[in-house]
Amino acid sequence: MSVTFSLNPQVSLAETDDGAVLLHERTGRYWQLNTTGISVLRSLTSGQTCEQAAQTLASQHAISAMHARNDIAALLASLRSADLLRESR
């Protein structure tokens, strides 16, 4: 079963030269993502699986696939806990 990701409808995203800023409109809290974080978020919200995003991240940054998977899992956990990201199966 495939998981798809999308931003919470109450979240606005503004890209910057250094990545992106996310605003949760209900809570008024801001979150900042660096260029790598927004690249991964774009990959996931455009339909890539976590594994596909990890392979891309690993090849772009010369890190192991395991390291990339762990980094993506940590990013997803942070985005979920801040109610910035939705996932559906």
Side-chain angles (χ1 to χ4, degrees):
M1 182 181 296
S2 181
V3 176
T4 59
F5 297 95
S6 61
L7 284 178
N8 177 330
Q10 297 177 342
V11 173
S12 297
L13 182 143
E15 293 199 36
T16 67
D17 291 339
D18 299 324
V21 176
L22 303 170
L23 167 64
H24 195 298
E25 295 169 6
R26 183 179 53 79
T27 65
R29 295 193 66 191
Y30 284 92
W31 296 83
Q32 186 171 4
L33 294 177
N34 63 19
T35 54
T36 302
I38 191 60
S39 176
V40 169
L41 181 61
R42 268 195 233 112
S43 294
L44 295 172
T45 58
S46 71
Q48 282 192 2
T49 65
C50 289
E51 186 59 33
Q52 290 167 328
Q55 291 299 327
T56 299
L57 183 62
S59 67
Q60 289 175 342
H61 296 280
I63 59 174
S64 71
M66 174 75 74
H67 186 150
R69 282 191 293 275
N70 290 340
D71 287 351
I72 290 172
L75 175 64
L76 286 173
S78 294
L79 294 173
R80 283 186 199 116
S81 71
D83 194 29
L84 300 173
L85 192 67
R86 302 280 191 224
E87 63 181 75
S88 58
R89 297 181 187 271

